[in-house]
Amino acid sequence: MLNYFQIASSMIRDIGMKPKIALILGSGLGYLTCEFQNSTAVYYSQIPGFPASTVQGHSGRFIFGNFHGIPSVAMEGRFHFYEGHEIRDVVSPIYLFKEMGIERLLITNASGGINKTYSPGEIVAIRDIINLGFRNPLRGPNEEKFGVRFPDMSSVVDLEWLARLRERLCRDGHELKEGTYIWTLGPSYESPSEIKSFEFLGADMVGMSTVPELIAANHCRMKTLALSCVTNMASGILKEKLSHDDVVRTANRIRHRFSDIVGKALEVLKEIDDE
Ligand SMILES: O=P(O)(O)O[C@@H]1C[C@H](O)[C@@H](CO)O1
């Protein structure tokens, strides 16, 4: 296992800043780091033993900088199980962030909409998850320094942060929908019959990431918000075939709205932390 403490300490020392929040940027959503001020990049390949990112729309680097006045670090490129990584490696950034002293995490992703009230380009907050990947990143010996053997999963996101963001957006005349995200292994998209069965299970969105990250973040008690960009309706709902190029294109198309919501999520966080 990587020595997260050693890596985190040397990164913080070399960069000369201690981030307060970490962001994981999903497919096509890496553009948020353009808004970082005084930024420094650290490529995953510069970190000995760290996994490499292989997916189009995921650059494979950390960006450190000031984001909406908060010292932040963002992952441009996450690790997916389907890339061939071990499940523990998929969540290695979460424990690295924890060792940097970070208590807040904002996860983003691209997903397929199962709930027919959603439409492509809509941003939905994840309220709950279904682990259909049947992989758990906590399998194996428990690292007691991070968390307990059997973590409670009754709320995988920080409900106060979510409620405050919802209120804030409502004041501006926008509704923030909340839904359940189901994780499949990928990399093939789902079949129409799979989507019908996921709907029956209670899922609103489907994707190939995020669930392992939420389990690990919950394990080490990081307060997390998760925003999903519904880039397409899930398989079989509309006539169109699914393609990753379209996923990335839609994520890019809604960049202003996405960046506005993320900005407000950080603003409400400052209010919460100041209280
Ligand atoms: O990293 P995310 O979950 O945003 O990426 C989604 C899931 C697959 O990696 C890819 C499929 O288009 O986009």
Side-chain angles (χ1 to χ4, degrees):
M1 186 187 272
L2 288 169
N3 186 332
Y4 297 115
F5 180 72
Q6 214 169 52
I7 301 172
S9 317
S10 80
M11 281 171 96
I12 285 175
R13 192 186 51 238
D14 292 351
I15 287 152
M17 77 171 277
K18 205 167 175 326
K20 284 193 154 168
I21 180 170
L23 297 95
I24 301 180
L25 305 178
S27 287
L29 300 167
Y31 49 73
L32 282 179
T33 55
C34 298
E35 298 171 34
F36 277 43
Q37 287 166 341
N38 302 322
S39 63
T40 310
V42 178
Y43 286 83
Y44 304 156
S45 54
Q46 292 172 253
I47 306 170
F50 212 64
S53 181
T54 64
V55 187
Q56 178 221 334
H58 293 257
S59 308
R61 57 187 193 167
F62 292 107
I63 303 288
F64 290 79
N66 251 309
F67 190 38
H68 293 270
I70 303 182
S72 307
V73 55
M75 280 186 87
E76 274 186 5
R78 60 151 50 90
F79 305 121
H80 306 86
F81 189 67
Y82 66 73
E83 291 173 79
H85 303 298
E86 297 298 329
I87 190 68
R88 285 213 162 215
D89 289 341
V90 168
V91 297
S92 52
I94 307 292
Y95 294 107
L96 184 62
F97 295 147
K98 185 72 184 179
E99 290 289 32
M100 288 180 189
I102 297 173
E103 298 296 339
R104 294 278 183 179
L105 176 66
L106 203 166
I107 297 179
T108 68
N109 65 39
S111 66
I114 297 175
N115 185 322
K116 297 188 186 72
T117 69
Y118 298 168
S119 41
E122 185 154 8
I123 296 150
V124 177
I126 296 175
R127 172 70 183 240
D128 205 351
I129 52 170
I130 300 175
N131 184 0
L132 201 78
F134 296 120
R135 298 294 190 284
N136 195 307
L138 308 183
R139 180 174 181 270
N142 184 48
E143 281 280 312
E144 292 292 330
K145 76 182 263 201
F146 288 122
V148 296
R149 171 79 289 190
F150 301 107
D152 173 68
M153 289 284 286
S154 47
S155 75
V156 290
V157 295
D158 183 44
L159 295 181
E160 186 192 5
W161 192 2
L162 174 57
R164 293 283 285 266
L165 175 61
R166 206 180 42 232
E167 281 164 24
R168 174 62 205 274
L169 291 169
C170 184
R171 255 192 282 142
D172 298 342
H174 298 294
E175 182 199 6
L176 180 64
K177 291 181 186 161
E178 295 173 7
T180 296
Y181 174 98
I182 193 164
W183 175 44
T184 60
L185 289 184
S188 45
Y189 291 112
E190 303 70 35
S191 70
S193 296
E194 284 168 346
I195 293 301
K196 276 191 207 139
S197 51
F198 298 169
E199 186 180 14
F200 182 74
L201 290 177
D204 298 293
M205 297 156 269
V206 59
M208 304 175 197
S209 67
T210 302
V211 166
E213 295 157 3
L214 280 171
I215 292 173
N218 186 62
H219 177 232
C220 62
R221 298 174 314 282
M222 287 178 89
K223 292 188 173 175
T224 307
L225 185 73
L227 297 173
S228 188
C229 169
V230 177
T231 48
N232 54 280
M233 292 315 287
S235 173
I237 295 182
L238 301 175
K239 290 275 176 291
E240 289 102 66
K241 291 195 181 296
L242 306 189
S243 86
H244 186 61
D245 283 348
D246 290 340
V247 165
V248 171
R249 231 190 316 275
T250 304
N252 269 291
R253 177 168 61 76
I254 55 104
R255 62 188 297 159
H256 294 300
R257 172 112 192 88
F258 201 72
S259 144
D260 181 57
I261 294 186
V262 169
K264 286 185 175 135
L266 268 69
E267 278 169 32
V268 296
L269 189 57
K270 276 191 278 191
E271 289 167 15
I272 295 171
D273 287 347
D274 287 349
E275 282 166 11

